[in-house]
Amino acid sequence: MVEKLYISYNNVHKLCKAGAEKFLKDVGKPDVIIAIGGGGFIPARIIRTFLRSSGEKNIPIQAIGLSLYEDLGTGNGDKIGKEVIRTQWLDFGALSQHFDSLIGKNILIVDEVDDTRTTLHYAVSELYKDVQEIAEKLGRTNEKTKFSIFVLHNKLKEKRAEIDEHKMGGGEYISGKDVPDQWIAYPWESDDIDDHTKHAVEQGNI
Ligand code: 5GP
């Protein structure tokens, strides 16, 4: 059996730092960070540390909740698919304290891992749709909204979905590290953090 990949908190921190530096260089400071829960929460908070300069206002973090469930098909030999359900979405009330809308904004979506890409594909498509709807209503479709993605890890495997570059509006996809297709154990899931960190250190993920 393939061994799990153990990731330490320090390693998460360093991947976020490197990701933020690349993001700032290539895309520029985001207006808002959207964290896909629960795995995206801790990376989103850490990456924010490296995205703002001292003295500047904090970049708002919004949480969205997406869950994958197995769609068992019709039982006639269909391929088993995966469906995404929304468990939480943007809080437009809270966002309105920062800006009038997301139209034309530089948005960074954060999750911990890009596995089959189903979740990220759904997030970008739905966020794009939401912004597009409002932009059409307000006659502001000429303003380009940038959706970028940061994940700690991207698994090198065949993906079930591809993210439409057009919808990303010039945003960038950044992975902290590309890894083989194996299970990744994150520190926040561990019930014995000392043992977890020991494994991570042994694997050089520090
Ligand atoms: P997707 O297949 O849509 O790219 O990934 C869906 C979700 O599955 C991820 O956001 C993550 O929560 C979970 N997941 C997929 N692979 C792994 C893994 O190797 N480790 C952990 N901890 N979660 C994973």
Side-chain angles (χ1 to χ4, degrees):
M1 214 188 82
V2 190
E3 207 190 352
K4 277 192 225 172
L5 195 62
Y6 289 87
I7 306 299
S8 71
Y9 277 117
N10 276 18
N11 193 220
V12 170
H13 215 91
K14 289 174 195 169
L15 293 175
C16 288
K17 181 172 192 273
E21 283 165 2
K22 181 159 172 50
F23 185 78
L24 286 175
K25 182 164 71 68
D26 296 352
V27 189
K29 203 183 142 205
D31 296 297
V32 61
I33 297 170
I34 297 181
I36 303 180
F41 292 168
I42 294 174
R45 175 58 190 87
I46 297 173
I47 203 167
R48 181 171 80 173
T49 296
F50 299 107
L51 287 170
R52 80 169 185 144
S53 320
S54 59
E56 278 179 1
K57 271 206 324 201
N58 270 333
I59 301 160
I61 299 178
Q62 281 261 319
I64 59 172
L66 300 175
S67 286
L68 275 187
Y69 75 94
E70 300 286 344
D71 165 11
L72 297 176
T74 60
N76 296 327
D78 299 7
K79 253 176 63 185
I80 295 175
K82 280 187 172 180
E83 295 286 329
V84 183
I85 47 167
R86 284 185 191 194
T87 53
Q88 187 184 343
W89 202 241
L90 298 176
D91 178 349
F92 289 101
L95 274 177
S96 67
Q97 293 170 10
H98 299 275
F99 18 73
D100 61 341
S101 75
L102 291 179
I103 305 166
K105 296 290 183 289
N106 187 6
I107 299 164
L108 177 60
I109 300 166
V110 178
D111 206 354
E112 86 278 47
V113 54
D114 176 358
D115 179 26
T116 64
R117 203 160 277 171
T118 312
T119 304
L120 289 169
H121 171 263
Y122 180 91
V124 172
S125 305
E126 292 293 298
L127 289 165
Y128 173 84
K129 206 166 77 188
D130 276 10
V131 174
Q132 198 64 13
E133 260 173 35
I134 304 170
E136 272 164 24
K137 265 193 211 142
L138 300 176
R140 290 173 58 187
T141 48
N142 56 331
E143 294 175 49
K144 206 174 230 179
T145 309
K146 275 189 193 168
F147 291 103
S148 299
I149 291 167
F150 172 72
V151 286
L152 296 171
H153 298 99
N154 170 39
K155 292 191 197 176
L156 297 172
K157 65 192 285 183
E158 197 182 322
K159 304 292 184 182
R160 291 196 196 207
E162 275 313 319
I163 300 157
D164 188 343
E165 256 186 54
H166 163 75
K167 290 184 181 167
M168 291 176 75
E172 203 172 299
Y173 174 99
I174 298 171
S175 98
K177 195 172 180 192
D178 291 342
V179 293
D181 187 11
Q182 66 191 99
W183 188 256
I184 306 168
Y186 289 102
W188 49 82
E189 296 162 346
S190 171
D191 54 13
D192 184 342
I193 194 63
D194 293 328
D195 187 56
H196 177 99
T197 308
K198 200 171 108 238
H199 286 300
V201 171
E202 280 163 11
Q203 293 181 345
N205 300 321
I206 43 173

